[in-house]
Amino acid sequence: EGQLVESGGGLVKPGGSLRLSCAASGFTFNNAWMHWVRQAPGKGLEWIGHIKSKANGGTTEYAAPVKGRFTISRDDSKSTLYLQINNLKTEDTAIYYCSTLGRTDIWGQGTTVTVSS
Amino acid sequence: DIQMTQSPSFVSASVGDTVTITCRASQDINNYLAWFQQKPGKAPKLLLYGASGLQGGVPSRFRGGGLGTEFTLIIDSLQPEDFATYYCQQINSFLPNTFGGGTKVEIK
């Protein structure tokens, strides 16, 4: 059974940077399109972006609010997905989930990012 | 970006009731719509895919429909474990996979 485990969250000052990781196991990671989704405290789900499989070009797409500050990447040799967040803002405070979305519907447990001075 | 508008944002219902949630897309998305259930402190869980396709293991009391810009999630005979928040999501991979704002189903 597929599993995703996020890490890298924490308390960061505004303007700082953070790299989140998502370790995959139990499924063929290199074939999967991978997504990041976040949820601010007490708020709904927000799709951040995705990265296609290398076989589909490995390209990325982002939601408009995060374009330019967020970068999704993958290392298929390590079955790991990454999310680089630069110039963090207080409104980036959220639980960050990685997921396969789609019919495979595998989600991590989430990692919490808190942006505060 | 495409906008997904859910209504209502909150519904109070009793066990055994039928609940209907609507999701409207700001542009035609054919049937590229998924529905998720999320319980407090947990990751979301896929219920329906392609607007009406039931995900494996999901009870048949969950029904979905719609095409284009208007979609519905119907929960027949609400059970205690169904009290949760429900989200629609646009899943056309050529567009941002935007979620709706969510509908919280609470016990009356």
Side-chain angles (χ1 to χ4, degrees), chain B residues 18-33:
Chain B
T18 294
V19 169
T20 300
I21 300 168
T22 298
C23 181
R24 180 177 292 111
S26 60
Q27 63 187 81
D28 189 333
I29 59 170
N30 198 338
N31 70 336
Y32 292 105
L33 188 97

Side-chain angles (χ1 to χ4, degrees), chain A residues 39-99:
Chain A
Q39 188 166 35
K43 302 296 185 182
L45 301 171
E46 180 183 17
W47 179 82
I48 293 171
H50 72 222
I51 185 166
K52 297 180 182 179
S53 63
K54 290 278 195 305
N56 290 111
T59 55
T60 52
E61 295 291 339
Y62 300 94
V66 305
K67 269 183 192 172
R69 290 194 303 121
F70 286 40
T71 303
I72 299 172
S73 60
R74 64 191 300 158
D75 184 339
D76 289 347
S77 69
K78 296 180 180 179
S79 295
T80 301
L81 176 74
Y82 300 102
L83 178 65
Q84 176 71 39
I85 312 174
N86 296 328
N87 189 21
L88 276 153
K89 304 176 187 297
T90 54
E91 55 263 38
D92 294 322
T93 293
I95 298 172
Y96 286 73
Y97 295 100
C98 59
S99 175

Side-chain angles (χ1 to χ4, degrees), chain A residues 16-43:
Chain A
S17 296
L18 210 54
R19 187 176 83 156
L20 307 182
S21 299
C22 168
S25 61
F27 66 100
T28 309
F29 178 80
N30 58 309
N31 288 346
W33 293 30
M34 295 298 300
H35 302 252
W36 285 99
V37 175
R38 69 180 178 182
Q39 188 166 35
K43 302 296 185 182

Side-chain angles (χ1 to χ4, degrees), chain A residues 35 39 44 47 64 103 105, chain B residues 1 38 46 49 55 87 97:
Chain A
H35 302 252
Q39 188 166 35
W47 179 82
R103 296 299 299 273
D105 191 39
Chain B
D1 279 0
Q38 188 181 32
L46 179 66
Y49 197 83
Q55 178 72 344
Y87 296 91
N97 296 153

Side-chain angles (χ1 to χ4, degrees), chain B residues 18-100:
Chain B
T18 294
V19 169
T20 300
I21 300 168
T22 298
C23 181
R24 180 177 292 111
S26 60
Q27 63 187 81
D28 189 333
I29 59 170
N30 198 338
N31 70 336
Y32 292 105
L33 188 97
W35 289 98
F36 291 85
Q37 177 193 68
Q38 188 181 32
K39 296 184 178 180
K42 301 291 188 184
K45 170 189 168 185
L46 179 66
L47 299 175
L48 294 147
Y49 197 83
S52 59
L54 199 64
Q55 178 72 344
V58 174
S60 58
R61 63 180 179 273
F62 291 92
R63 295 187 285 127
L67 187 68
T69 61
E70 295 275 341
F71 301 88
T72 55
L73 170 67
I74 299 171
I75 311 171
D76 293 311
S77 187
L78 205 63
Q79 297 300 298
E81 61 268 28
D82 300 336
F83 292 95
T85 302
Y86 295 84
Y87 296 91
C88 63
Q89 185 196 24
Q90 185 292 120
I91 56 173
N92 182 326
S93 59
F94 295 100
L95 295 169
N97 296 153
T98 310
F99 285 94

